[in-house]
Every structure is written in C-alpha cells, then in structure tokens.
Amino acid sequence: MNKTVFCRTGSIAEKLMPMLRKYRAVVAVLLAGMLLLASGGWFGGNKTDGAENASTDMDRGFDLAAFERELNERLAAVEGVGRVELMLSLEETAEEVYAVNVRQSQNNGTGSSYEQNLTVLSDGSYGETPVTVKSLLPRFRGAIVLCDGADDAAVRLAVTQAVGTVCGIGADKITVLKMEKDT
C-alpha cells in the first residue's frame, strides 16, 4: 500500500516539474508574497512615512503653547537675539470641516424636504469617527516679542521676518521690544 502511494506521488511530481520550470518566476513571486503575508509585518510593516505623521499631528489639534515654545527656541538661536519671550494672539482657532450627506426631495410640487447627515466611518470596536474633509489652521492676529537684542535694528528686522513668515502675518502686526534686564 505504501508503495502505490509513493508511485502516485512520484508520477505527480514528474508531471509538475516541467510546469514549475516553465513558470518558476511566477511561483517565486507567489511564495514571496505568501511569506510576507505570513510574517505579519515583521519586515518593515510598522514604518510610517511623513504623510501619516502629519495626519496624526493634525488629529491631535493645534497647541498654541507648544507652538510658542517651539518658536521661542528658534528665535533664541538667531544671532544677537539673546533671551526671548513671545506672545501670540489668535484671530480664529483651528477648525475641522466634516463631510455631510445631503438629501433633498420634492413633494408633488407642494414643497420640498431637506435632510443633512454627518458622514461617519465605523471602526469596528472603536466606534464611529466623522470623515474630515479639511482642517483649517488658526489665523494669527498679532505677536509681541521681547528680546535682549531688540535695540539692534538688524535683530528687530530678523525677528520680525521670522515671526511673520512662520505665523503668516505682516510686519505691522508684530512688535519687537527690548527685554528688561535682570538685576
């Protein structure tokens, strides 16, 4: 009985070998794909790119205090500025625009009905999250910068340009003042 099993297996292998030789590249690709699927992300499946990092930053929202701290550090690195304190004021805060389903129907010429629903994605066990169409960043109203080097016109200009560029406000909305000396 074992001999007939080996004979059948041998004849099947003899029939498959020419086909495997002919399509060896396809078989290699299929085996590699099955290996990657079976690995469960061991081969770089946890890497994230810049676009994903940006989206997670936007999901956390805008933090004015963290933004001011970061800008303070950058301004302090400018030559001649010295110690820096920064205060920013906002015109508008950050805002999310969500996708909406709209249905409008006519009722035999007598009137119309209008229905609007928020579009949500179901995440299985995590519940539902609204679909974000776009995220609007806050708009700045103005800035006050206190620094040691404000008596130098070149330093004032550099600080004004840096804050204006980062915050998207004009030079007329930025005031650079000399910081009081500690005693």
Side-chain angles (χ1 to χ4, degrees), residues 16-180:
L16 287 178
M17 287 311 265
M19 191 180 302
L20 287 175
R21 284 188 190 115
K22 185 176 180 181
Y23 297 109
R24 67 179 171 251
V26 174
V27 171
V29 169
L30 287 174
L31 288 175
M34 288 173 36
L35 178 67
L36 284 175
L37 286 173
S39 72
W42 288 351
F43 301 110
N46 294 333
K47 293 181 182 177
T48 57
D49 61 354
E52 288 175 356
N53 288 337
S55 70
T56 56
D57 288 343
M58 288 304 296
D59 291 342
R60 283 184 265 154
F62 179 75
D63 184 10
L64 181 61
F67 184 78
E68 285 180 343
R69 271 193 306 277
E70 181 75 22
L71 190 52
N72 263 337
E73 291 172 11
R74 301 290 186 228
L75 290 174
V78 174
E79 185 179 345
V81 172
R83 296 176 301 145
V84 180
E85 287 185 22
L86 173 72
M87 184 178 115
L88 297 170
S89 69
L90 295 175
E91 182 94 18
E92 295 176 1
T93 59
E95 182 179 339
E96 302 283 327
V97 178
Y98 298 112
V100 177
N101 290 329
V102 178
R103 287 187 212 119
Q104 187 173 9
S105 61
Q106 300 289 334
N107 295 336
N108 297 331
T110 60
S112 63
S113 66
Y114 179 78
E115 185 178 333
Q116 182 174 342
N117 297 326
L118 183 65
T119 305
V120 294
L121 289 176
S122 179
D123 263 350
S125 64
Y126 295 115
E128 296 179 340
T129 56
V131 176
T132 304
V133 175
K134 64 181 173 178
S135 298
L136 302 173
L137 294 176
R139 286 189 350 182
F140 292 96
R141 177 179 293 148
I144 297 174
V145 182
L146 302 175
C147 66
D148 288 331
D151 48 356
D152 183 6
V155 170
R156 278 196 316 269
L157 178 63
V159 168
T160 301
Q161 288 177 339
V163 172
T165 300
V166 170
C167 298
I169 54 178
D172 61 325
K173 309 253 182 187
I174 303 168
T175 303
V176 180
L177 302 170
K178 177 125 176 96
M179 186 179 279
E180 184 178 86

